[in-house]
Amino acid sequence: MMRAIMSNRLPCSRCGATRDVEIIERVEQVTIKGKEVSFEAHYSRCLTCGDEFEAPGQLDANLDAAREAYARLYEAPSPEALVSLRARYNASQKAFGAILGFGELTMNGYESGGTPDSTNRLLLKLAADPCTFKAMYDINSGKIGMTQRRRIEESPGYKAASSWYGLEALSRELTELQRVKVEECATRAGRTVPEQVARYVGDSSFRDYSRLMEGISWSTGVAQVIDMKSEAPAPLSVAS
């Protein structure tokens, strides 16, 4: 289906002159990453010769529309994933929406099958990281009631972010499995997360020093150490 939505004057390459044109809109299909998507494309049509062409800006706009159509179909979080994300922070739809910057009805719509736009998809993706969510919460917590604030601050997601306070940059370099491993090791050892990370760094430095003495290259970082079986360096024995 095609329809004219407005008129304009633009250079027509076939006529070789500036002509009256109409901007037309029609649904087109395109294949992206092996999947076919439909989107609304815009073209210009010369009213003198009938030639259709993409005016400056229309090509980029059509490409953006195709990418957005693909993202809405295949990259948007599912309703189940959104419910699970919100539950991680013990937040109601109203509170979660306020923290991320959109309303209760918007969140309800997404959890009922609606598709977030590109901006809200990004906000939801960022909220999946506990440290980023905590930063959002710190900014917008005044928009929600005391009961909701208490529930959120007692949630597993918020506590995970709080335990990494001061180590946010490091936490983003680790996988979720690695972060969980650090937290579990810290809990078992009765340490805070920073203390546990310091232990890893200390153990890594000791091993790297030993490896250096043996002519072996240094380890690549804390993430590698976390994936290894971490053992404290054995104390040196001194002959009596």
Side-chain angles (χ1 to χ4, degrees), residues 173-191:
E173 295 298 319
L174 304 178
T175 66
E176 183 174 358
L177 180 61
Q178 288 169 336
R179 288 195 297 269
V180 169
K181 188 179 293 186
V182 173
E183 292 162 8
E184 289 177 347
C185 289
T187 299
R188 287 199 303 269
R191 304 186 186 101

Side-chain angles (χ1 to χ4, degrees), residues 63-118:
L63 289 173
D64 288 343
R67 294 191 190 102
E68 175 64 13
Y70 176 88
R72 283 175 172 267
L73 281 174
Y74 301 109
E75 295 179 350
S78 67
E80 295 77 15
L82 293 178
V83 171
S84 177
L85 173 61
R86 184 167 56 81
R88 185 180 186 187
Y89 302 111
N90 289 344
S92 66
Q93 289 180 340
K94 181 177 181 179
F96 195 74
I99 291 168
L100 269 65
F102 44 80
E104 177 183 7
L105 293 179
T106 301
M107 197 63 202
N108 179 270
Y110 294 158
E111 292 184 7
S112 299
T115 305
D117 60 24
S118 58

Side-chain angles (χ1 to χ4, degrees), residues 5 7-8 17 37 53 58 88 111-112 124 126 141 151 155 158 184-185 188 206 231 233-235:
I5 56 176
S7 299
N8 204 347
V37 296
F53 57 92
Q58 287 180 332
R88 185 180 186 187
E111 292 184 7
S112 299
L124 290 165
L126 291 172
S141 59
R151 289 187 59 187
S155 70
Y158 187 89
E184 289 177 347
C185 289
R188 287 199 303 269
F206 181 87
E231 297 178 354

Side-chain angles (χ1 to χ4, degrees), residues 11-215:
C12 173
S13 59
R14 177 177 290 180
C15 295
T18 298
R19 300 294 193 190
D20 290 328
V21 301
E22 61 180 359
I23 310 302
I24 58 175
E25 178 185 82
R26 63 169 174 255
V27 176
E28 293 198 346
Q29 284 75 41
V30 65
T31 300
I32 300 177
K33 298 180 181 179
K35 299 182 183 295
E36 188 172 277
V37 296
S38 299
F39 69 100
E40 288 187 349
H42 294 87
Y43 296 91
S44 298
R45 180 167 60 193
C46 177
L47 296 179
T48 300
C49 68
D51 187 37
E52 291 184 8
F53 57 92
E54 288 178 308
Q58 287 180 332
L59 174 60
D60 288 341
N62 288 340
L63 289 173
D64 288 343
R67 294 191 190 102
E68 175 64 13
Y70 176 88
R72 283 175 172 267
L73 281 174
Y74 301 109
E75 295 179 350
S78 67
E80 295 77 15
L82 293 178
V83 171
S84 177
L85 173 61
R86 184 167 56 81
R88 185 180 186 187
Y89 302 111
N90 289 344
S92 66
Q93 289 180 340
K94 181 177 181 179
F96 195 74
I99 291 168
L100 269 65
F102 44 80
E104 177 183 7
L105 293 179
T106 301
M107 197 63 202
N108 179 270
Y110 294 158
E111 292 184 7
S112 299
T115 305
D117 60 24
S118 58
T119 300
N120 287 355
R121 282 200 307 274
L122 176 59
L123 289 170
L124 290 165
K125 183 176 181 179
L126 291 172
D129 173 63
C131 292
T132 304
F133 176 83
K134 184 178 183 301
M136 295 176 176
Y137 174 83
D138 290 343
I139 294 171
N140 294 316
S141 59
K143 298 178 181 179
I144 62 178
M146 179 64 72
T147 300
Q148 269 297 305
R149 290 203 297 271
R150 187 181 302 112
R151 289 187 59 187
I152 290 172
E153 290 171 11
E154 292 174 352
S155 70
Y158 187 89
K159 287 182 177 179
S162 298
S163 69
W164 284 91
Y165 182 75
L167 296 172
E168 294 89 346
L170 172 60
S171 74
R172 295 190 185 99
E173 295 298 319
L174 304 178
T175 66
E176 183 174 358
L177 180 61
Q178 288 169 336
R179 288 195 297 269
V180 169
K181 188 179 293 186
V182 173
E183 292 162 8
E184 289 177 347
C185 289
T187 299
R188 287 199 303 269
R191 304 186 186 101
T192 65
V193 167
E195 288 171 343
Q196 185 64 33
V197 171
R199 180 64 174 262
Y200 281 133
V201 173
D203 291 352
S204 175
S205 298
F206 181 87
R207 279 195 298 271
D208 281 339
Y209 177 77
S210 300
R211 290 160 64 88
L212 181 63
M213 294 299 98
E214 297 168 2

